[in-house]
């Protein structure tokens, strides 16, 4: 849902920056790789130590590379299947690092096995939600459903909560509870989205199979 409305806005905002990078000779692939490395560093260096505010700041600075690289490719007229593949693949890597960072915190100093498991579920379910759409499209189905919690929602909910929870280190009492709440919301929302996509693929595949059978029967006549 957020992806539909926010992407167009931020694409317009970041267009001048994308143009500048092209002028100085930076490639879209370099931006993709740098952005992913920055997100991974922010998540895996800061989050396992409980430094959620600074980790979120670092991640936020780099996460917009996901919009900049595509913008650059379109401006330069070099959009390609490789670029789309690289971008999508590294998105999964970045997402894994973010929720992996949360899991490491709760497995260590955070000392909460339940929330560690929830963070791992968020990591795994996010990957599977993306896979269901990609797999459905690869077998020729439209997968015409967005779902309740997509990547944009997962990132916004978890990172906003993590950033706010980080104010606990600055003396704000009780605010750290926001991160567990956000992880539970993402976990439940991702499960619902997964079910929505599986049901949609099942329905579309049944319709496609029925249409193919009707076509074969008509041909036989």
């Amino acid at each position: 849902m957020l992806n539909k409305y926010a992407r167009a806005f931020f694409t317009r905002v970041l267009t001048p920056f994308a143009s500048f990078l092209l002028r100085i000779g930076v490639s879209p692939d370099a931006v993709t790789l740098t952005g992913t490395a920055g997100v991974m560093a922010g998540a895996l260096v800061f989050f396992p130590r409980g430094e959620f505010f600074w980790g979120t700041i670092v991640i936020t600075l780099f996460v917009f590379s996901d919009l900049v690289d595509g913008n650059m490719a379109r401006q330069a007229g070099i959009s390609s299947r490789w670029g789309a593949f690289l971008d999508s693949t590294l998105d999964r890597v970045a997402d894994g690092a973010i929720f992996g960072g949360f899991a490491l915190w709760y497995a260590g100093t955070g000392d909460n096995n339940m929330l560690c498991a929830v963070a791992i579920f968020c990591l795994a379910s996010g990957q599977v939600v993306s896979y269901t759409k990609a797999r459905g499209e690869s077998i020729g189905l439209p997968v015409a459903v967005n779902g309740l919690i997509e990547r944009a929602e997962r990132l916004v909910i978890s990172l906003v909560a993590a950033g706010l929870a980080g104010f606990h280190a600055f003396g704000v009492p009780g605010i750290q509870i926001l991160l567990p709440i956000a992880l539970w919301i993402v976990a439940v929302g991702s499960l619902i989205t997964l079910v929505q996509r599986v049901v949609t693929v099942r329905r579309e595949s049944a319709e496609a199979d029925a249409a193919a059978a009707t076509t074969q029967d008509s041909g036989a006549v």
Side-chain angles (χ1 to χ4, degrees):
M1 290 181 289
L2 281 176
N3 189 56
K4 178 180 178 182
Y5 300 104
R7 179 172 287 270
F9 171 75
F10 283 110
T11 296
R12 289 195 300 271
V13 171
L14 294 170
T15 292
F17 181 60
S19 300
F20 169 74
L21 292 177
L22 287 172
R23 286 198 300 272
I24 63 175
V26 178
S27 71
D29 286 354
V31 171
T32 303
L33 291 167
T34 301
T36 302
V39 170
M40 291 179 66
L44 298 178
V45 172
F46 292 96
F47 284 176
R49 298 188 298 182
E51 297 178 4
F52 296 117
F53 177 80
W54 294 114
T56 300
I57 293 298
V58 172
I59 291 169
T60 301
L61 290 175
F62 285 97
V63 78
F64 284 105
S65 65
D66 187 46
L67 298 176
V68 174
D69 54 5
N71 193 315
M72 292 170 66
R74 286 189 295 273
Q75 287 190 49
I78 55 174
S79 297
S80 65
R81 290 182 176 86
W82 161 250
F85 169 82
L86 181 66
D87 186 55
S88 180
T89 300
L90 293 185
D91 281 349
R92 309 286 83 75
V93 173
D95 292 358
I98 291 170
F99 289 102
F102 292 144
L104 288 171
W105 162 251
Y106 286 116
T109 308
D111 192 25
N112 192 314
N113 289 336
M114 174 63 75
L115 289 176
C116 176
V118 173
I120 292 173
F121 180 82
C122 289
L123 190 163
S125 61
Q127 308 296 317
V128 177
V129 164
S130 297
Y131 174 79
T132 53
K133 186 173 182 65
R135 182 61 177 141
E137 291 174 342
S138 74
I139 58 176
L141 301 175
V143 195
V145 61
N146 290 321
L148 181 64
I149 297 287
E150 294 185 286
R151 183 173 188 256
E153 286 84 2
R154 289 197 302 272
L155 291 180
V156 169
I157 292 170
S158 59
L159 291 178
V160 168
L164 292 174
F167 281 102
H168 178 69
F170 301 108
V172 179
I175 200 166
Q176 67 271 23
I177 192 64
L178 291 178
L179 182 55
I181 292 172
L183 290 175
W184 276 108
I185 290 173
V186 171
V188 173
S190 295
L191 179 60
I192 293 172
T193 302
L194 177 59
V195 172
Q196 288 176 305
R197 290 192 173 179
V198 169
V199 169
T200 298
V201 169
R202 179 175 175 81
R203 174 179 54 78
E204 291 178 348
S205 62
E207 292 172 351
D209 291 342
T214 300
T215 300
Q216 289 179 350
D217 291 342
S218 299
V221 174

